[in-house]
């Protein structure tokens, strides 16, 4: 079997940094693009962190990284510096070196849909953050997503236990519940 084509949608804090490192270095995954969204930290810091982590992982310099939404669909953005530090990476000392990567010039939703359009086979969306980018990209071109998305793998929700953001709410679901609803009821696998 060939490498699995994936797009990662992240809010790069400590957890997503590890996921990016593993995905880029995994011989069974072909990371096509990375999109960034509000969540653990402000989206501009998410983009900066993502580029730094991709450099540390030895990711190809032409791997596109796009900035997405800074706010959820309805409510104000929430962040969790008490968990991920003020820099989103646990206040790492010394910090990772600045990246010379330039973010992709368009919006993350545009990168998601363009990457799907040009993919030779169905793509797995690995969403490790609030689902704002994914929900809007899906709503923008539902037929594209039905034909080109193999599945959506989301780090979100809690099945039989309480949440990590409140008694019953997991952070990625709590940070944009409307987007989560849109994606989870889309009928996509």
């Amino acid at each position: 079997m060939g490498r699995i084509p994936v797009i990662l949608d992240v809010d790069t804090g400590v957890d997503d940094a590890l996921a990016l490192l593993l995905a880029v270095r995994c011989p069974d995954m072909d990371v096509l693009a990375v999109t960034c969204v509000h969540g653990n930290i402000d989206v501009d810091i998410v983009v900066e962190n993502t580029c730094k982590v991709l450099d540390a992982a030895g990711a190809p310099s032409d791997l596109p990284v796009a900035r997405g939404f800074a706010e959820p669909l309805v409510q104000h953005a929430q962040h969790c510096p008490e968990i991920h530090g003020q820099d989103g990476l646990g206040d790492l000392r010394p910090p990772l070196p600045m990246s010379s990567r330039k973010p992709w010039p368009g919006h993350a939703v545009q990168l998601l849909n363009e990457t799907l359009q040009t993919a030779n086979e169905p793509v797995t969306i690995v969403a490790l953050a609030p689902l704002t980018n994914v929900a809007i990209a899906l709503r923008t071109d539902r037929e594209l997503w039905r034909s080109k998305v193999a599945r959506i793998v989301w780090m979100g929700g809690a099945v039989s236990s309480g949440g990590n953001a409140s008694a019953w709410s997991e952070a990625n679901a709590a940070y944009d519940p409307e987007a989560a609803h849109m994606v989870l009821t889309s009928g996509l696998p």
Side-chain angles (χ1 to χ4, degrees):
M1 186 171 152
R3 297 171 71 202
I4 300 166
V6 300
I7 300 171
L8 288 100
D9 187 65
V10 298
D11 61 343
T12 304
V14 176
D15 52 351
D16 294 9
L18 179 58
L20 285 165
L21 289 166
L22 293 171
V24 166
R25 303 299 296 175
C26 179
D28 296 328
M29 294 178 83
D30 181 14
V31 180
L32 304 176
V34 181
T35 55
C36 301
V37 70
H38 68 90
N40 292 328
I41 200 79
D42 177 82
V43 72
D44 292 319
I45 298 172
V46 169
V47 173
E48 184 180 306
N49 287 348
T50 300
C51 291
K52 289 177 183 180
V53 171
L54 290 173
D55 287 351
S61 60
D62 62 347
L63 177 63
V65 176
R67 181 188 188 277
F69 287 99
E71 300 252 339
L73 296 177
V74 176
Q75 60 195 26
H76 294 290
Q78 302 175 56
H79 305 300
C80 50
E82 67 280 4
I83 296 171
H84 293 275
Q86 296 301 315
D87 68 352
L89 294 175
D91 297 323
L92 188 62
R93 296 291 175 248
L96 290 175
M98 291 303 293
S99 177
S100 61
R101 288 175 189 269
K102 299 290 181 221
W104 196 74
H107 193 276
V109 168
Q110 182 183 1
L111 180 59
L112 280 161
N113 286 344
E114 286 185 13
T115 303
L116 290 175
Q117 287 170 349
T118 60
N120 295 325
E121 60 185 291
V123 175
T124 296
I125 306 296
V126 179
L128 305 173
L131 290 169
T132 316
N133 290 338
V134 174
I136 297 303
L138 169 60
R139 277 286 172 99
T140 302
D141 197 338
R142 192 177 302 271
E143 288 309 312
L144 172 68
W145 279 66
R146 285 197 173 117
S147 66
K148 288 290 193 103
V149 172
R151 64 185 169 176
I152 298 173
V153 179
W154 181 44
M155 181 173 67
V159 175
S160 62
S161 63
N164 63 357
S166 72
W168 291 105
S169 182
E170 183 277 332
N172 289 332
Y175 289 177
D176 198 340
E178 290 78 15
H181 175 77
M182 289 167 61
V183 173
L184 294 174
T185 60
S186 70
L188 289 171

